[in-house]
Amino acid sequence: MRKWHRWISVFFGVFLLWIAVTGTLSQVVPLLSGGDGDRPAKTMADATPAKPAFVCPPDYMCRPKPKGGKSIVGLLHHLHSGESFGPVGVLISTLSGFAMIFFSFSGLWMYIQMWRNRKDRNLKPGWFWN
């Protein structure tokens, strides 16, 4: 089990770090930006412009460009999920998710084995040791 744990971590360590950093940033950026994008207009003049700057053609679905923290969160989501790098990025992101599951279970399994080994050799009991 340790051999697999070691070799898989060599490859996926960089991707798991990438996923952890972009996921953390996608949660922190909205907190720091203050969520300005969802505030309603303050006056009636701001709510209804006299002439729209752009009219969406009937065959298209147009969306306004997000402002402030929302556009950064969207970018971070695409980086986090691997969508920015195409199908290969999504595949690597998905495999990295499976690697995280494997590391969780294999790390727990190795800890239990070490704990049992120490117990069988009548060494210092406890959950943590040096």
Side-chain angles (χ1 to χ4, degrees), residues 108-122:
L108 183 61
W109 179 256
M110 286 188 295
Y111 178 80
I112 290 170
Q113 293 297 323
M114 289 188 315
W115 187 75
R116 285 182 181 167
N117 188 18
R118 288 187 63 82
K119 185 178 173 186
D120 291 343
R121 292 187 295 154
N122 293 324

Side-chain angles (χ1 to χ4, degrees), residues 10 12 19 31 33 41 63 68 79-80 90-91 98 102-103 105-106 117:
V10 168
F12 282 107
I19 290 172
L31 294 174
S33 68
R63 297 181 189 157
L79 292 173
H80 179 72
V90 173
L91 177 68
F98 286 127
F102 171 76
F103 290 141
F105 284 114
S106 64
N117 188 18

Side-chain angles (χ1 to χ4, degrees), residues 41 43-52:
T43 65
M44 195 59 147
D46 292 338
T48 56
K51 181 180 176 186

Side-chain angles (χ1 to χ4, degrees), residues 3-87:
K3 181 173 121 179
W4 284 100
H5 195 94
R6 186 179 312 121
W7 281 106
I8 291 175
S9 68
V10 168
F11 179 75
F12 282 107
V14 173
F15 298 111
L16 293 176
L17 181 63
W18 177 268
I19 290 172
V21 169
T22 56
T24 303
L25 286 175
S26 69
Q27 297 298 317
V28 171
V29 166
L31 294 174
L32 296 178
S33 68
D36 294 6
D38 293 334
R39 289 187 185 162
K42 293 183 180 180
T43 65
M44 195 59 147
D46 292 338
T48 56
K51 181 180 176 186
F54 175 77
V55 177
C56 185
D59 296 341
Y60 295 96
M61 182 189 326
C62 301
R63 297 181 189 157
K65 185 176 179 181
K67 298 177 183 176
K70 285 187 173 185
S71 62
I72 294 171
V73 171
L75 172 67
L76 288 171
H77 171 74
H78 285 286
L79 292 173
H80 179 72
S81 65
E83 295 173 27
S84 296
F85 306 107

